[in-house]
Amino acid sequence: MEKLYNYIGGKLIDPVSNTWFDNFHPATGTVYSHIPDSDQRDVQLAVDAAEAAFPAWSTLAAEKRSEILSRLSDLIKRDLELLAQAESKDNGKPVSLARIVDIPRAVSNFEFFATAILHFATEAHAMESSAINYTLRQPIGVVGCISPWNLPLYLFSWKIAPALAAGNCVVAKPSEVTPMTAYLLSKLCIEAGMPAGVLNIVHGLGGKAGQAIVEHPKIKAVSFTGGTKTGAGLAATAAPMFKKLSLELGGKNPNIIFADCDFDAMLKTTLQSSFANQGQICLCGSRIFVERPLYEKFRDAFVEKVKQLKPGNPADEGTRMGAVVSQAHMEKVLSYIQLAREEGGTVLCGGERVVLEGELKTGWYIAPTVIEGLAFDCRTNQEEIFGPVVTIMPFDTEEEVLEMANSTVYGLAATVWTQHLTRAHRVANNLQSGIVWINCWLLRDLRTPFGGVKASGVGREGGFEALRFFTEAKNVCVKL
Ligand code: TXE
């Protein structure tokens, strides 16, 4: 049974508590490794190491920091297959998905910020003949990065890369549900020659190791992705300490389909945006609104396709639907399907746990589920389910669908399908979300601002937004 270790001060070390807890294999529901049960003592060791490394790292030429991040990106690329297998085993997602989405994106994240930092410039303001102002963007110091279980290495690296590129030293905690690829990354950091203490990875429970990171007075900024409720708690801790906070939280994203859309393209992509990663992506479109003339054609064609999406062994090359990430999450998703039935919904397909054969029979599999007949403002359509469950609803006018789409507390992403150019732009303009995809989904340019409004978060990641988050601006005014 493999034991994972914290990565602190450039070394793989035991947790101070000398205790570990179970890490599960979602495909079989069994324990397959052990995670360090870290606490504030481990976080203190990590902060000490980060503090000691900061002077050298923050004054290292950006080209040198860039070289190390680029080397790390190359090592992830070299170990892509190993990391994809590990990600699939730890999260339950199909290995095919980890191989084409998760790990390549981790490669891109480090590569992108290794180069972005070389082009990150600031501004100057001349006051005619009297003075010149220039803006310095200095690294903050020791920062915290806390990431979730749905896209483990993808989101872990999305935070760490800009933090390091900007010259900060990092104390990072992956989700205790999916720690494996962060642990494997530790080994690659050592191989890449990352200076000791620049990146420290502390494994453990959110309420213990995670809370200790947020509470630590020397951690001046925290970048978090996870649940809205957790984010609110984290903000309550950090705000009175005047820490910078980036919060990427939950979503309940509308997928708006007008009758004039490119039907085949829409259907193919809607299957993806509904069920990719078993629906466990904060950007998935879980509320599907279809203009009434197209509703029945869409419903019948969509359900037909969804019925062909069979949950299977994530390790099999042909699997497109894997296991959900944990027993608790499976039960949460199944409870929402039950709620949908109680709220008057009709389950058109799926709706139950799938029991596979052999060692997989104790795995956590849910059949992809499509539900119709629910009111747009019922709990099923207002609360984040974060599993392979979508609802479909007809609409008659643009005003009506915008009211329904904007009716939740969330505002992360939205998808719009129409060939009507001005309508596409008008609807995008009126949607309460941080990201709008028109006639596509999850098409990502890493330079773009990424994040949500309302209960979907605060701040933006991506491109220079991320480098600005991980630096402090200082204006220097020089009298001429
Ligand atoms: O998130 P949590 P989980 C949603 C989704 C899911 C729900 C909870 O609805 O069901 O959030 O998922 C750490 N101080 N999303 O359990 O609990 C925790 O250890 C500091 C949307 O993953 O928020 C983990 O590393 N840290 C999301 C991270 O926070 C704490 C993706 C996320 O855990 C902490 C995943 C604390 N007090 C879930 N408590 C998205 N937007 O993509 C927990 N953590």
Side-chain angles (χ1 to χ4, degrees):
M1 192 71 83
E2 184 169 8
K3 256 186 174 182
L4 280 59
Y5 296 93
N6 287 334
Y7 170 59
I8 297 176
K11 292 185 174 51
L12 296 175
I13 61 171
D14 293 358
V16 174
S17 66
N18 202 29
T19 53
W20 279 257
F21 57 88
D22 294 341
N23 186 35
F24 287 87
H25 176 211
T28 59
T30 57
V31 178
Y32 86 100
S33 52
H34 290 137
I35 310 168
D37 186 6
S38 306
D39 57 39
Q40 83 282 359
R41 294 170 295 176
D42 305 280
V43 169
Q44 187 56 54
L45 289 177
V47 169
D48 292 346
E51 259 200 317
F54 180 66
W57 181 251
S58 57
T59 53
L60 188 63
E63 291 77 5
K64 291 293 177 201
R65 295 201 298 265
S66 173
E67 264 172 42
I68 291 171
L69 295 181
S70 211
R71 208 177 306 148
L72 189 53
S73 175
D74 291 342
L75 290 173
I76 295 170
K77 199 183 298 177
R78 180 198 69 187
D79 292 359
L80 191 141
E81 184 56 26
L82 179 137
L83 289 163
Q85 296 285 348
E87 198 74 291
S88 170
K89 182 166 187 177
D90 213 20
N91 171 278
K93 68 180 71 200
V95 65
S96 58
L97 183 69
R99 191 180 291 131
I100 55 174
V101 172
D102 294 70
I103 310 308
R105 177 60 190 275
V107 172
S108 306
N109 287 344
F110 280 109
E111 195 51 46
F112 177 85
F113 286 104
T115 46
I117 194 61
L118 302 178
H119 306 280
F120 187 47
T122 64
E123 58 275 351
H125 301 83
M127 295 168 73
E128 281 68 44
S129 58
S130 61
I132 179 84
N133 297 274
Y134 62 89
T135 304
L136 290 175
R137 284 200 170 274
Q138 297 175 310
I140 295 168
V142 180
V143 300
C145 295
I146 299 174
S147 55
W149 49 251
N150 59 321
L151 298 163
L153 193 58
Y154 175 133
L155 290 175
F156 193 64
S157 55
W158 183 232
K159 294 175 183 306
I160 288 170
L164 294 174
N168 301 286
C169 289
V170 176
V171 177
K173 193 195 81 69
S175 170
E176 59 275 32
V177 181
T178 51
M180 188 54 77
T181 45
Y183 171 62
L184 296 174
L185 181 74
S186 309
K187 298 183 183 179
L188 295 182
C189 288
I190 295 169
E191 189 178 350
M194 171 101 49
V198 165
L199 171 62
N200 303 278
I201 300 175
V202 179
H203 292 277
L205 299 172
K208 195 191 302 185
Q211 185 71 20
I213 290 173
V214 179
E215 282 174 355
H216 199 291
K218 294 203 169 162
I219 291 179
K220 301 294 184 193
V222 176
S223 175
F224 170 80
T225 295
T228 290
K229 188 163 162 290
T230 311
L234 203 141
T237 303
M241 301 176 80
F242 304 108
K243 296 183 182 210
K244 277 182 93 169
L245 267 186
S246 165
L247 300 173
E248 297 299 323
L249 306 176
K252 188 73 178 183
N253 308 313
N255 176 2
I256 300 171
I257 301 169
F258 286 94
D260 73 330
C261 70
D262 173 340
F263 188 85
D264 294 342
M266 173 280 296
L267 189 63
K268 184 169 182 283
T269 303
T270 294
L271 277 167
Q272 284 295 318
S273 62
S274 300
F275 299 112
N277 203 39
Q278 297 67 246
Q280 298 167 140
I281 300 176
C282 54
L283 302 168
C284 280
S286 52
R287 294 181 293 147
I288 303 174
F289 298 98
V290 185
E291 197 172 13
R292 200 175 296 276
L294 192 69
Y295 181 79
E296 289 190 5
K297 177 185 176 187
F298 168 77
R299 179 194 59 198
D300 299 344
F302 183 56
V303 168
E304 199 42 53
K305 291 281 186 193
V306 174
K307 282 179 175 172
Q308 294 161 28
L309 265 180
K310 304 281 184 207
N313 185 344
D316 289 352
E317 291 305 326
T319 297
R320 292 294 171 270
M321 273 291 288
V324 295
V325 77
S326 68
Q327 170 117 24
H329 193 57
M330 179 180 68
E331 285 159 7
K332 170 184 168 183
V333 175
L334 291 173
S335 74
Y336 270 103
I337 296 171
Q338 185 47 35
L339 173 67
R341 289 190 172 102
E342 290 160 7
E343 291 190 307
T346 303
V347 175
L348 299 172
C349 63
E352 76 282 321
R353 178 180 187 172
V354 173
V355 180
L356 299 179
E357 297 296 312
E359 63 166 358
L360 303 179
K361 68 177 179 302
T362 45
W364 305 312
Y365 302 92
I366 297 177
T369 300
V370 181
I371 302 167
E372 73 168 349
L374 285 169
F376 77 92
D377 52 0
C378 72
R379 281 188 55 205
T380 308
N381 273 326
Q382 293 289 309
E383 297 175 17
E384 185 179 46
I385 299 172
F386 213 67
V389 181
V390 296
T391 61
I392 60 175
M393 288 156 278
F395 70 88
D396 294 301
T397 67
E398 190 177 310
E399 294 66 29
E400 179 199 9
V401 74
L402 277 167
E403 189 206 342
M404 295 195 288
N406 288 334
S407 68
T408 72
V409 296
Y410 296 104
L412 184 53
T415 311
V416 181
W417 291 93
T418 180
Q419 310 273 25
H420 189 308
L421 192 59
T422 46
R423 174 162 68 187
H425 292 297
R426 189 174 56 237
V427 169
N429 187 57
N430 291 316
L431 279 164
Q432 295 168 5
S433 68
I435 302 146
V436 180
W437 278 292
I438 298 174
N439 299 332
C440 59
W441 177 72
L442 210 59
L443 200 51
R444 292 279 293 115
D445 178 328
L446 302 191
R447 293 170 297 178
T448 56
F450 179 88
V453 297
K454 305 198 297 189
S456 289
V458 175
R460 294 293 182 272
E461 296 183 295
F464 290 152
E465 294 279 348
L467 293 176
R468 277 194 280 275
F469 174 76
F470 283 116
T471 51
E472 285 292 1
K474 178 187 288 174
N475 181 57
V476 180
C477 178
V478 185
K479 183 124 181 57
L480 299 178

